[in-house]
Amino acid sequence: MSVPTRFTPIIGLEIHVELKTNSKMFCACSAHHFQVKPNTHTCPVCLGLPGALPVPNKKAVEWCQRIGLALSCQLAEESKFDRKNYFYPDLAKGYQISQYDQPLCFKGKVTLSTGKEIGITRVHMEEDTAKNVHRKVKGKDMTLVDFNRSGVPLVEIVTEPDFRSADEVDEFLKELRRVIRFLEVSDADMEKGSMRLEVNMSLLTDKDKGKFPSYKVEVKNINSFRFVKKAIEYEYKRQSEILNTGKTPRQETRGYQEDVDKTISQRSKEEAHDYRYFPEPDIPPMCFTEEDFRQIKEESPKLPQEIQDRFEKEYGLPKETAAFLTETPDLVTYTRKAFAISAKASIDPKDIANTIKNKKYDWTKLEPEELIEKLKAEKTDVITDEKQLSPIVDEIITQNPKVVKDYKAGKQQVIGFFIGQVMLRTKGKADAKAVQDLFRKKLS
Ligand code: ZN
Ligand code: MN
């Protein structure tokens, strides 16, 4: 038996993003379900009652196309909904309305900082399921179903299996989150479940000779950026151990369990044909014109990368700083305001950028004007006044008898230590020359 020595992870992602439209995907119920009293936003459509007719949410479809455009996808001129059939208690109809062979958007890409491109296979529209709640009722373990989430618009983004490391996945997800937040279509919050992730992963061995592995493991239940990395690392270890014994890992769905930092087998992975997809008979196919696409482009907010490039070019900011300032739309608005008034106050935008990035002041608690005032004060507030400096100098002298002794013994260079101490206590505002003179006077 030849034991393979090297493994290359082959990773693809499936990401579900919940849109923050006011109403649900196929009915007029409110789509807000986070921390809402259970089963208060329901109707025959989202409860899946027989005979209820779905009516698509136009805004959700447009927002899905917005996401597609931002990921450099082509938009389909003809698209339709399909039924994805499966049974689960949180799916009352017995099928999810999704899209199968004609997604709204397809063939996109995202470029990583290394220049590597990650292919986007498709971006499609579907509906969220209800939520199972496990809890004790009258001393018995029960599963209750909350239908507030049932029918909330969900966009599914599928990537090509282009990732080769957890770091690439991490960078991609952070960029995706940033883009979606700037598009103002979702909070894309993994902790709150408005961005959910499935990782498809296998390991390529030397024996595969460049062909993809014959198996694929799907990992679900990853709800933070930190856990993405951990789940991938765990799977790498688990799969490589199996491969090292000459066996092939099972094709299956596994769930990540954060408390034990492991993935646990859930079921064998289903194939597309298991779902018996067929066109949704209650919703007519959708057709779009060039004019429709032009309008969606026009109404889409600016992408963070564009703003970041402008910050770099116009203000000469380093890439890292510009990226930091374009993390959220709020921070961009704030930075722009501060930059706009910086010239009048003769403050360098670079100083503003660094101050925000280094968290010297908490920008969320200061108006841009106040931040600039603080920077201005820092520049002009040099303390030269002997009355102000004297008590500080006295204190340092009494607290450092040994250094004072050294100085008196002729070690002139310890004056640098004294000045440093004063700067520490005055946050760098003391005039160094004045401080030095004061020490010499007091110690002579
Ligand atoms: Zn409803
Ligand atoms: Mn889906």
Side-chain angles (χ1 to χ4, degrees):
M1 186 185 76
S2 72
V3 174
T5 49
R6 264 185 323 124
F7 301 106
T8 308
I10 307 289
I11 305 168
L13 301 177
E14 263 177 54
I15 302 126
H16 285 90
V17 174
E18 229 176 48
L19 300 184
K20 56 176 183 187
T21 47
N22 284 326
S23 55
K24 290 189 181 180
M25 190 59 220
F26 299 112
C27 61
C29 292
S30 166
H32 304 294
H33 63 86
F34 191 68
Q35 288 173 342
V36 168
K37 187 166 182 266
N39 296 310
T40 50
H41 298 170
T42 60
C43 74
V45 173
C46 56
L47 285 171
L49 301 187
L53 288 174
V55 179
N57 182 331
K58 187 162 180 258
K59 183 165 255 171
V61 170
E62 282 173 11
W63 284 7
C64 177
Q65 289 168 316
R66 234 188 228 187
I67 293 175
L69 274 178
L71 303 178
S72 306
C73 285
Q74 296 177 40
L75 301 189
E77 285 171 24
E78 281 175 40
S79 185
K80 68 174 168 64
F81 286 103
D82 298 277
R83 290 188 180 181
K84 182 183 182 179
N85 300 280
Y86 66 94
F87 171 79
Y88 208 66
D90 63 12
L91 190 71
K93 295 197 296 295
Y95 60 85
Q96 177 193 33
I97 305 180
S98 179
Q99 296 197 278
Y100 184 46
D101 54 347
Q102 289 181 278
L104 282 164
C105 326
F106 55 97
K107 269 195 195 152
K109 64 170 199 289
V110 167
T111 309
L112 301 180
S113 59
T114 53
K116 177 174 174 172
E117 286 181 356
I118 302 296
I120 304 291
T121 317
R122 55 188 283 151
V123 177
H124 75 242
M125 189 78 244
E126 57 187 38
E127 57 177 336
D128 210 343
T129 59
K131 201 172 182 172
N132 289 341
V133 185
H134 309 283
R135 78 158 58 123
K136 265 199 163 54
V137 178
K138 291 181 184 158
K140 278 190 191 157
D141 287 324
M142 297 259 188
T143 297
L144 307 169
V145 187
D146 176 8
F147 279 86
N148 284 347
R149 197 180 71 176
S150 170
V152 168
L154 206 57
V155 168
E156 181 175 321
I157 300 157
V158 183
T159 79
E160 292 292 309
D162 288 342
F163 301 95
R164 295 292 174 270
S165 71
D167 285 340
E168 285 180 358
V169 170
D170 188 63
E171 186 188 339
F172 172 88
L173 286 174
K174 284 182 178 152
E175 178 59 11
L176 180 68
R177 180 179 63 176
R178 183 168 80 146
V179 165
I180 287 170
R181 285 182 177 169
F182 272 75
L183 293 177
E184 292 169 341
V185 296
S186 170
D187 301 329
D189 190 328
M190 283 180 85
E191 276 84 4
K192 285 185 186 157
S194 54
M195 180 159 138
R196 303 198 285 269
L197 179 72
E198 282 146 45
V199 174
N200 285 300
M201 177 167 168
S202 53
L203 296 183
L204 193 71
T205 68
D206 296 341
K207 281 195 297 188
D208 291 315
K209 301 206 167 60
K211 271 203 250 156
F212 274 6
S214 60
Y215 73 97
K216 194 163 77 178
V217 174
E218 184 183 59
V219 185
K220 288 180 182 268
N221 194 33
I222 301 170
N223 50 21
S224 85
F225 280 97
R226 205 160 54 87
F227 296 151
V228 179
K229 277 195 162 183
K230 289 191 147 197
I232 290 173
E233 277 159 20
Y234 179 82
E235 272 305 300
Y236 184 90
K237 203 170 143 262
R238 190 187 68 85
Q239 292 180 26
S240 59
E241 276 167 15
I242 296 171
L243 288 163
N244 272 329
T245 65
K247 290 188 196 133
T248 305
R250 229 160 64 97
Q251 171 119 342
E252 62 183 346
T253 298
R254 301 178 70 88
Y256 179 71
Q257 294 207 334
E258 55 195 65
D259 47 349
V260 286
D261 186 23
K262 271 185 183 169
T263 66
I264 310 283
S265 180
Q266 291 182 330
R267 57 170 190 263
S268 66
K269 186 158 170 43
E270 56 288 284
E271 306 273 349
H273 63 249
D274 293 328
Y275 291 119
R276 299 270 160 192
Y277 281 97
F278 64 84
E280 166 60 63
D282 291 336
I283 306 173
M286 298 171 276
C287 290
F288 303 96
T289 62
E290 281 305 315
E291 174 57 24
D292 294 330
F293 295 156
R294 200 190 54 74
Q295 214 167 352
I296 293 158
K297 245 179 240 177
E298 217 177 78
E299 285 164 14
S300 272
K302 256 208 174 58
L303 290 176
Q305 190 59 54
E306 269 178 73
I307 305 169
Q308 183 185 327
D309 291 345
R310 285 235 338 246
F311 278 0
E312 283 176 45
K313 251 190 235 144
E314 272 178 42
Y315 303 103
L317 299 180
K319 196 180 179 147
E320 239 178 75
T321 310
F324 181 88
L325 295 174
T326 48
E327 202 52 61
T328 64
D330 282 352
L331 184 48
V332 165
T333 309
Y334 186 91
T335 306
R336 278 200 172 130
K337 264 193 206 158
F339 282 179
I341 51 180
S342 64
K344 248 195 278 170
S346 55
I347 294 286
D348 188 348
K350 271 187 212 144
D351 286 340
I352 296 173
N354 287 331
T355 305
I356 297 174
K357 182 165 179 274
N358 302 336
K359 302 196 171 87
K360 191 166 172 192
Y361 299 114
D362 184 356
W363 68 272
T364 59
K365 291 190 181 118
L366 286 174
E367 289 299 315
E369 292 82 3
E370 292 173 303
L371 181 82
I372 285 182
E373 276 312 308
K374 285 208 178 268
L375 290 178
K376 242 167 86 181
E378 266 182 24
K379 270 178 78 179
T380 51
D381 257 15
V382 182
I383 308 171
T384 49
D385 184 13
E386 200 179 308
K387 259 194 240 129
Q388 245 179 298
L389 293 173
S390 192
I392 303 170
V393 167
D394 287 340
E395 201 181 282
I396 290 165
I397 288 172
T398 40
Q399 281 171 1
N400 297 281
K402 205 180 154 286
V403 190
V404 170
K405 218 170 118 194
D406 286 348
Y407 177 83
K408 288 192 169 154
K411 265 196 173 174
Q412 293 284 318
Q413 64 270 34
V414 299
I415 206 91
F417 167 80
F418 288 133
I419 296 172
Q421 288 298 307
V422 178
M423 288 305 179
L424 215 64
R425 281 168 218 211
T426 57
K427 298 200 169 76
K429 283 182 192 165
D431 180 74
K433 178 80 176 52
V435 172
Q436 187 173 351
D437 291 347
L438 206 56
F439 269 112
R440 288 196 196 288
K441 202 167 94 187
K442 285 185 194 276
L443 294 175
S444 64

